Amino acid sequence: MSLREYQRKRNFRRTSEPPAKVATGKGWSYVIQKHAASHLHYDFRLELDGVLKSWAVPKGPSLDPSVKRLAMHVEDHPVKYGGFEGIIPEGEYGGGAVMLWDEGSWKPIGDPHAGYKSAKLKFELHGKKLRGAWMLVRRSRPSSGKDNEWFLFKERDEEARGADQAEVTTDERLSVKSGRDLEEIASARDRVWRSNRESVSKKPRT
Ligand code: MN
């Protein structure tokens, strides 16, 4: 597993995102981060072999099993990223507010390595907002010609909802970490920038 791509895209003197470090323990954490970058999306992450396998889901998850949500497979992230909520500075990669929308653990159904390799991953989520059986499958005929297009969808079980019920992304708008909505997290931006400027001005001139 490599975090090279994660490292390459970021300037860690400017962003407070966690450093590129592969975790040594074997965990099964699961998180979704709601990310107001240039386009709002939900980052869906599953821990496997010391990193977070990651997919950017523009519309977020749906509890309706008949709805398949496009999930763009993106670079692995450090396990510690799963605790990150805050601001990525403007002008940096992914600049904007990040909210911890859901967290918990996942349990593969079948062999997760074989499933990931064959791009057909079946699993249970044990989150605060999402539960039950889910599936991530690579799109068989990608629209863009790229192979990073997957689908995320809910399997039919007691945690599923029908098409006539409200979307979970509409019902559940607050952070599982801080209880804040995305606007409140974004409004903390000014404070972050002010404190950055202060710490810069305190440095002795050389
Ligand atoms: Mn993102």
Side-chain angles (χ1 to χ4, degrees):
M1 297 303 124
S2 171
L3 294 170
R4 219 174 304 149
E5 183 71 2
Y6 174 86
Q7 170 86 34
R8 190 185 65 75
K9 286 179 168 171
R10 292 169 176 80
N11 179 347
F12 292 98
R13 283 174 299 165
R14 295 188 60 89
T15 180
S16 57
E17 293 166 281
K21 189 173 179 297
V22 176
T24 47
K26 254 201 182 308
W28 298 95
S29 61
Y30 139 75
V31 298
I32 295 181
Q33 281 148 325
K34 188 176 180 181
H35 184 185
S38 49
H39 296 281
L40 182 75
H41 60 272
Y42 293 75
D43 287 300
F44 186 92
R45 311 192 197 276
L46 300 175
E47 180 177 353
L48 187 65
D49 299 330
V51 297
L52 292 175
K53 295 288 168 200
S54 297
W55 291 260
V57 185
K59 291 186 174 173
S62 174
L63 296 179
D64 177 355
S66 68
V67 174
K68 291 181 170 51
R69 288 283 156 82
L70 183 65
M72 305 300 288
H73 201 350
V74 298
E75 75 274 15
D76 295 345
H77 279 53
V79 170
K80 277 221 167 119
Y81 206 93
F84 180 74
E85 176 173 284
I87 307 289
I88 301 171
E90 214 163 274
E92 296 306 302
Y93 178 72
V98 177
M99 172 209 284
L100 196 52
W101 186 81
D102 196 18
E103 66 179 356
S105 62
W106 71 290
K107 188 178 167 201
I109 299 172
D111 177 358
H113 297 99
Y116 179 71
K117 208 174 164 195
S118 63
K120 202 175 174 188
L121 203 50
K122 200 171 172 171
F123 51 90
E124 272 173 27
L125 291 181
H126 301 272
K128 290 174 178 158
K129 293 176 181 171
L130 302 189
R131 285 172 292 274
W134 292 76
M135 192 122 182
L136 270 164
V137 184
R138 189 188 285 143
R139 192 174 192 164
S140 53
R141 278 178 299 166
S143 61
S144 63
K146 292 180 190 159
D147 64 357
N148 64 339
E149 295 180 350
W150 292 50
F151 285 117
L152 170 71
F153 59 92
K154 182 80 196 71
E155 298 267 21
R156 289 177 197 284
D157 60 19
E158 66 281 358
E159 297 289 343
R161 278 191 200 166
D164 54 334
Q165 290 168 284
E167 289 281 358
V168 65
T169 46
T170 313
D171 264 10
E172 299 278 2
R173 301 189 67 257
L174 303 180
S175 162
V176 291
K177 183 173 182 167
S178 64
R180 297 179 296 175
D181 66 18
L182 205 49
E183 290 70 28
E184 287 174 273
I185 295 168
S187 71
R189 183 191 331 228
D190 298 339
R191 210 165 1 139
V192 170
W193 282 355
R194 198 159 45 237
S195 67
N196 278 353
R197 273 201 297 275
E198 276 163 12
S199 62
V200 166
S201 65
K202 271 179 215 153
K203 274 186 193 156
R205 285 166 197 259
T206 49

